[in-house]
Amino acid sequence: MDDPLMLARVQFALTAGSHFLFVALTLGLATLVALMQTVATLRGGGRGGAVVQSRMVRFWGQLYVINYAVGIVTGLVMELQLGLNWAGMSRVTGGVFGAPLALETIGAFFVESTFLGLWIFGWDRLNRWVHLGTIWVVTVTAYASAYFVLVANGWMQRPVGFELVGGEARLTDAGALLTNPAALLAFGHVLFGGLLTAGFFMAGVSGWHLLRRTAEVEFFRRSMRVGLVTVLVALYPVVMFGGMQFAYLQPTKLGGGDADAQVAEFTARFGPDDYMAPGLAGAGEALMVTMWSLMHLVAIVALVKVWFGRWLVRGRVFHVLMIVSVPLPYVAMLSGWVFREVGRQPWAVYGVVKTEDALSDVGSGTLAVSFAAFTVLFAVLVAVNVWLLARFARRGPEGASLGAAPPVEPASRVMTPTF
């Protein structure tokens, strides 16, 4: 492949898609861990169910921290290649596109990582209510980070609140930028998509342990129930927010025809801030619909299992079903993301900057080298994350070291003088 534009596009697709694998699970697990810690804190953490809840917080919280830590690296690398390969877009749209990304990095991400450190190292050191507050700050700022990123992406899909001055975009209406329907609907979609991903993940890990007849039956029965209830709660809002976005599809997603003529026609008919489209097509749609259909079938089975709770432990076929269902939300969301991004072509920022003009002035050789390096790096990071999650998930709650008390140092011997 010697086309610099195609190399850069495929590279960004691989890096952004890989990073999103981490984001979806991080958002959902952070919420579920915060809810579980809230229940444990309200119950006092003394005995019975509260003890199980506290152990669930440590076990699932450890998996969350692993996924978060590796995901940070993928996010940093993704932003690096964004700056290297797409300088043309920054020159034209940096004054608008860069604003929400700056808020995400300087504001939300720094607060999130700071309070995550307090949560990790604050076990048995902070007041239990203060410690609970730290994980909720982490959760809220995680969603704030996702929101600001989607504001930037939503502006690429539906540019609003700006004007072009001397060939450069200038922000004229921050309110329009922050309330862009293309961003708000995508945020709702991602919010519930993260919960759906975490729900399937919890159900799959719990199913693996119950299938192996673990001694931690009560622990994973409760975890299975949390995961299944999350799936049932999140599935239909995900579909709803996804369907509502169809009203703001660009005409290029319809396929066929000249892209410039399509933009001119729709701008003349609806105005520059209203890109309506009656339908969609493509392989991304087919794959996305297939995955959602499969998840609906699993959700129906899950509803029966939740209603008849004793089957959660005894149903070996159901345990296998939960294990193999873990990838479903990942595939569905990635296919939807591919449709959202690829269908916008040939525009990087719809109707403002074409993808070919957004590319940095680099040769195919340089891009080929960076493509190979980034692809290998991301493949290693994804493999390491899967290995770490599988390793610590297999250990069960007894192997969770998050929040564990430090080992007691042996008392030093007092040497008594001899005479």
Side-chain angles (χ1 to χ4, degrees):
M1 185 184 297
D2 58 358
D3 182 0
L5 179 60
M6 184 57 66
L7 275 173
R9 288 180 60 192
V10 174
Q11 179 177 319
F12 186 77
L14 289 174
T15 54
S18 300
H19 178 61
F20 189 70
L21 296 176
F22 296 87
V23 172
L25 184 58
T26 294
L27 289 174
L29 271 185
T31 307
L32 295 183
V33 169
L35 289 172
M36 287 186 286
Q37 185 167 347
T38 300
V39 173
T41 303
L42 290 173
R43 291 181 176 179
R47 56 186 177 182
V51 173
V52 177
Q53 289 287 342
S54 296
R55 297 178 71 222
M56 288 171 64
V57 173
R58 293 176 186 267
F59 175 71
W60 296 109
Q62 179 167 275
L63 298 180
Y64 157 72
V65 170
I66 291 171
N67 189 76
Y68 177 88
V70 183
I72 288 177
V73 181
T74 63
L76 294 175
V77 176
M78 184 188 70
E79 292 194 3
L80 173 63
Q81 67 91 41
L82 178 63
L84 290 175
N85 293 346
W86 303 104
M89 189 176 73
S90 299
R91 285 193 296 267
V92 178
T93 67
V96 180
F97 180 75
L101 294 182
L103 290 173
E104 187 274 335
T105 302
I106 299 174
F109 174 71
F110 280 179
V111 174
E112 178 188 4
S113 55
T114 299
F115 277 82
L116 180 60
L118 291 173
W119 184 72
I120 293 173
F121 299 106
W123 290 87
D124 302 322
R125 294 179 176 87
L126 297 175
N127 174 278
R128 62 192 179 101
W129 293 103
V130 174
H131 191 244
L132 174 63
T134 61
I135 188 59
W136 275 112
V137 172
V138 169
T139 303
V140 171
T141 51
Y143 282 108
S145 291
Y147 166 71
F148 286 125
V149 170
L150 289 171
V151 166
N153 182 264
W155 188 77
M156 295 171 68
Q157 306 286 337
R158 184 176 183 267
V160 294
F162 79 104
E163 63 179 0
L164 285 174
V165 179
E168 296 183 2
R170 301 285 178 86
L171 182 63
T172 59
D173 189 345
L177 177 69
L178 297 175
T179 60
N180 189 347
L184 296 180
L185 294 174
F187 176 67
H189 191 60
V190 168
L191 187 154
F192 286 102
L195 288 173
L196 190 67
T197 304
F200 272 105
F201 179 78
M202 287 188 69
V205 173
S206 300
W208 186 84
H209 281 276
L210 293 172
L211 181 66
R212 299 182 71 248
R213 294 296 187 255
T214 176
E216 297 279 359
V217 174
E218 179 61 17
F219 181 95
F220 286 108
R221 184 190 69 81
R222 287 175 179 261
S223 296
M224 173 73 81
R225 186 178 292 274
V226 170
L228 294 181
V229 169
T230 303
V231 168
L232 294 173
V233 169
L235 182 58
Y236 287 100
V238 168
V239 176
M240 179 187 71
F241 277 106
M244 291 171 67
Q245 293 180 69
F246 293 167
Y248 297 96
L249 294 179
Q250 304 91 345
T252 50
K253 286 189 172 71
L254 295 171
D258 180 71
D260 292 313
Q262 288 175 335
V263 171
E265 177 187 354
F266 272 74
T267 298
R269 289 174 58 192
F270 300 110
D273 292 342
D274 200 357
Y275 307 132
M276 302 291 289
L280 68 152
E285 176 197 3
L287 183 57
M288 180 172 55
V289 171
T290 301
M291 293 301 104
W292 290 125
S293 300
L294 290 175
M295 283 189 284
H296 274 79
L297 293 176
V298 174
I300 293 172
V301 177
L303 179 61
V304 175
K305 293 297 183 181
V306 171
W307 188 267
F308 300 99
R310 63 184 183 277
W311 290 2
L312 294 180
V313 176
R314 301 177 183 176
R316 296 179 69 85
V317 174
F318 176 68
H319 299 156
V320 174
L321 177 63
M322 288 297 99
I323 296 171
V324 299
S325 296
V326 171
L328 292 181
Y330 287 108
V331 177
M333 287 189 293
L334 281 178
S335 60
W337 175 80
V338 168
F339 168 75
R340 178 180 174 92
E341 299 305 309
V342 173
R344 189 177 67 248
Q345 297 303 315
W347 300 97
V349 179
Y350 191 77
V352 179
V353 180
K354 285 193 172 182
T355 306
E356 60 185 10
D357 298 324
L359 185 66
S360 301
D361 186 17
V362 292
S364 57
T366 302
L367 274 172
V369 172
S370 67
F371 176 83
F374 279 103
T375 300
V376 171
L377 176 60
F378 269 78
V380 170
L381 289 173
V382 171
V384 167
N385 189 63
V386 172
W387 175 72
L388 287 173
L389 288 176
R391 180 184 181 187
F392 284 91
R394 284 197 302 265
R395 290 182 178 181
E398 290 300 322
S401 57
L402 180 66
V408 178
E409 294 292 336
S412 58
R413 295 182 58 187
V414 179
M415 301 299 293
T416 55
T418 57
F419 298 96

